[in-house]
Amino acid sequence: MTAERSFRKEVEQLRLGAGEEFWGEGILAVTKALLQSGVAYVGGYQGAPVSHLIDVLVDAEPLMDELGVHVETCSNEASAAAMLGASINYPLRGAVTWKSIVGTNVAADGLSNLASPGVMGGALIIVGTDYGEGASVIQERAMAMAMKSTIWLLDPRPELQKVVDITEQAFALSEATSAPVMMELRVRACHLQGSFTARDNVAPTVSTRAPLAEAAPFDYSHLAHPPVTFVQEKLKVSERLPAARRFIVEKGMNEVFEGEGGEIGIILQGGLYNGLLRRLQALDLGDAFGESRIPLLVLNVTHPLVPEQITDFCKDKDAVLVLEEGNPEFIELQVNTFARQAGLKTRILGKDVMPPAGEYIAEVLEEGLQAFLRETGVQGGGGRKGPSMADIRAEGGESLGQALPPRPPQFCTGCPERPVFSAIKILERDIGKVHIAADIGCHAFATFEPFSMGNSILGYGMSLASAAAVSPFQQRRSISIMGDGGFWHNGLATGVISALLNRGDAVLIIMQNGFTSATGQQAIPSSTLGRDGKPLAVDIEKTLVALGVPWVRTVRSYSVSVMVAALRAALTTPEKGLKVIIADGECQLVRQRRVRRETAANLKDGRRVAVERYGVDEDVCTGDHSCIRLSGCPSLTVKPNPDPLRNDPVATVVESCVGCGLCGEVAHAATLCPSFYRAERVRNAGAAERWLHRLRRRVIGWLQGGAAA
Ligand code: SF4
Ligand code: SF4
């Protein structure tokens, strides 16, 4: 599934037996916990921060085969959610994974239809909740989905043994209550390093090695279809909810840390535990070993809450702070309700001292804690022991001497998607601005300087669909941009088929780089090779032609002049209907990994290796930097002008250049100055080549000497 990347070490960890120590990342610990739980099938769609789970299982194919576990790399999250249907009729434990919120939204239909009949075998959904600073997730949605669909929601305290135990308990909880269980794994929990004591892997009783002899008998009560859904809706509340609350208490899934007791306490989502402890320590309210002086109720299960557990914790306290990320404050509202219904006088604080939305990073937690202590008049504690986050930031700034400049993310050097935006920029100089519907994927980097392109981003693979209501109101055709990953995920059905159905007259550019690159180069249906290393037969151009798309062109993405011509034709042709340009160019990150390996092998065997590099002739460069503004390549920068009579810095190509040729192509397509040159650095050159090189140097030396004379 993955391109050129090996998870050999991780796969070895999956084989650990009882009593051995596992050491590694949180997401890998979850992967091992699945195997220890006797999971029979695993599926998912890639996305940060959970891609690793499926990547590793795919690489662990021999182990999966030994255990009889089926692994499916799904075409999107809806197909992953639908897989869990296997647990409705059969005693099979299954797990699927994706990135929330996009994944949970895409899977929503399947999830609610799974939750309705409920499950027989444990069904676990692992969602990567990459919410907050540096994440692409707009909002926290798992809680709302879980509450409205009667899916239990786990948010384990980020400590590897706890994460593993909760994962294993999740299957038992699902089976004891006939309900699917969702486990949120925050980005910090996924990448947390730590250890736990492994248990033996458990081969599922029903598996690919021990298949069922008979299909399940017809049972109408297991269908998510009216009228039986009316009964199921009642069962969710009358049977499954009380059963879940009993299980949570009996198995001790939530944790109380008594601290030093006292009149205040904190109820928190499990995932916030580590951040909170660190700030408590800084305020002299906790220590480095994870002991809090303030009593804590850690909710490793955030839905359902257990009313008695909440009121037991609150009953002796004057005030309790609820730490809950996201908005609205579902947990805080319930805690308030439980406390009032039990007749408690305990004051419940939450969003009144914490920000209404956004990630609870260190500064936010620290300020919120201090506000809580002030509000409640508690003066004990707060004798600060560690530096405040403000101090840490100030010290960092001082040691650097100055503030760091902002570094927005951008395309990799030599990315095949960058030239397409250069081509659009060049064309727009002739025909004017067009509406651009952008999409999720690496190509979204074009929304930053120097391209600043994209009027909307409305979902993964949804650019063409989003342009449907825009195009009819534009004099110029709109351009929708989509990656090949987005095309297969959603764009084919929501965009292309819909455009054919409605005789849409838009232009679609599909970036065909061969993988879902932004998530780690996982294979897609049109990848050259599948996860088994064998060629895949699905071709985007053939698919479009077969569907009846009237105008399809495949253009090498680095050929800027050809791309400009194709775009011009697509935007101006009198021919009506959908026009698709497939911008073809292998993901440069994948290419570089491959080339580095091939180069190393060739050098080792003494074979000739030639590496292309581009450069700028500083005597010719006019210093207007159009090339930089049009290509945006980070390897193309400026340096002082060597000519003492000229002030403008000249363009220059730095060592990180991968020789993609875009700068030269742009200079040609936009008819800029002829300052770019291409050179080859040859290693292990042959005798004839060396002789020619010596001759050239002599002639050049002679010419230079002659010129000097
Ligand atoms: S990962 Fe590949 S497609 Fe994405 S920016 Fe880098 S080179 Fe481009
Ligand atoms: S400097 Fe030019 S050739 Fe080198 S990576 Fe950048 S665009 Fe490509």
Side-chain angles (χ1 to χ4, degrees), residues 413-415 418 558 613-614 631 633-636 652-654 656-664 676:
T413 301
C415 173
R418 184 182 278 114
Y558 294 105
R613 284 289 179 269
Y614 279 72
S631 88
C633 174
S635 298
L636 191 56
T652 187
V653 173
V654 295
S656 56
C657 166
V658 294
C660 75
L662 169 62
C663 46
F676 284 88

Side-chain angles (χ1 to χ4, degrees), residues 222-279:
H222 284 177
L223 286 174
H225 196 257
V228 75
T229 42
F230 309 151
V231 180
Q232 291 163 355
E233 194 65 3
K234 288 183 184 138
L235 284 177
K236 286 178 180 176
V237 186
S238 63
E239 290 186 9
R240 296 182 204 165
L241 180 61
R245 285 177 167 155
R246 274 197 306 277
F247 186 97
I248 292 162
V249 173
E250 281 167 20
K251 303 296 176 190
M253 292 185 80
N254 293 326
E255 300 168 282
V256 175
F257 296 91
E258 297 289 358
E260 294 174 2
E263 63 271 37
I264 59 170
I266 300 173
I267 298 176
L268 65 145
Q269 291 170 308
L272 295 176
Y273 179 86
N274 290 4
L276 171 67
L277 257 286
R278 197 78 179 96
R279 288 301 96 206

Side-chain angles (χ1 to χ4, degrees), residues 411-412 415-417 442 445 513 517 521 587-589:
F411 295 105
C412 300
C415 173
E417 300 183 354
C442 292
F445 292 142
N513 64 26
S517 295
Q521 288 87 31
C587 167
Q588 189 66 238
L589 207 59

Side-chain angles (χ1 to χ4, degrees), residues 409-629:
Q410 61 163 314
F411 295 105
C412 300
T413 301
C415 173
E417 300 183 354
R418 184 182 278 114
V420 180
F421 295 99
S422 300
I424 295 175
K425 216 168 173 181
I426 290 168
L427 185 64
E428 279 188 339
R429 297 198 305 199
D430 283 355
I431 66 164
K433 288 271 173 202
V434 294
H435 178 98
I436 295 181
D439 211 296
I440 308 283
C442 292
H443 36 87
F445 292 142
T447 54
F448 298 117
E449 296 278 8
F451 302 114
S452 302
M453 283 182 193
N455 297 86
S456 64
I457 296 184
L458 283 163
Y460 189 31
M462 294 192 192
S463 56
L464 183 57
S466 78
V470 173
S471 303
F473 307 113
Q474 304 271 330
Q475 286 188 356
R476 278 187 282 273
R477 288 182 180 126
S478 62
I479 296 180
S480 301
I481 292 163
M482 191 185 290
D484 43 6
F487 172 78
W488 293 116
H489 176 271
N490 208 335
L492 174 60
T494 19
V496 174
I497 302 281
S498 190
L500 291 172
L501 177 68
N502 293 285
R503 303 197 195 288
D505 189 30
V507 175
L508 170 65
I509 300 174
I510 301 174
M511 304 286 191
Q512 182 170 265
N513 64 26
F515 306 92
T516 50
S517 295
T519 55
Q521 288 87 31
Q522 288 83 7
I524 49 175
S526 50
S527 291
T528 325
L529 297 176
R531 61 186 241 206
D532 53 4
K534 293 183 190 145
L536 286 165
V538 194
D539 180 276
I540 294 180
E541 181 172 336
K542 282 184 189 156
T543 303
L544 293 170
V545 171
L547 285 171
V549 177
W551 197 104
V552 185
R553 307 276 185 279
T554 296
V555 179
R556 182 181 168 269
S557 68
Y558 294 105
S559 305
V560 178
S561 307
V562 184
M563 185 63 76
V564 171
L567 275 168
R568 192 191 302 277
L571 287 167
T572 56
T573 175
E575 199 178 326
K576 295 285 178 201
L578 178 62
K579 284 153 275 288
V580 182
I581 296 174
I582 301 170
D584 187 42
E586 184 186 16
C587 167
Q588 189 66 238
L589 207 59
V590 174
R591 185 175 174 276
Q592 286 304 313
R593 283 187 187 136
R594 179 168 50 74
V595 167
R596 265 202 299 273
R597 210 185 53 233
E598 287 166 5
T599 302
N602 285 338
L603 287 175
K604 196 167 157 227
D605 295 345
R607 284 195 291 268
R608 180 183 185 273
V609 171
V611 178
E612 277 192 2
R613 284 289 179 269
Y614 279 72
V616 176
D617 186 336
E618 56 198 31
D619 294 331
V620 181
C621 174
T622 60
D624 77 338
H625 312 142
S626 302
C627 53
I628 295 176
R629 288 192 296 277

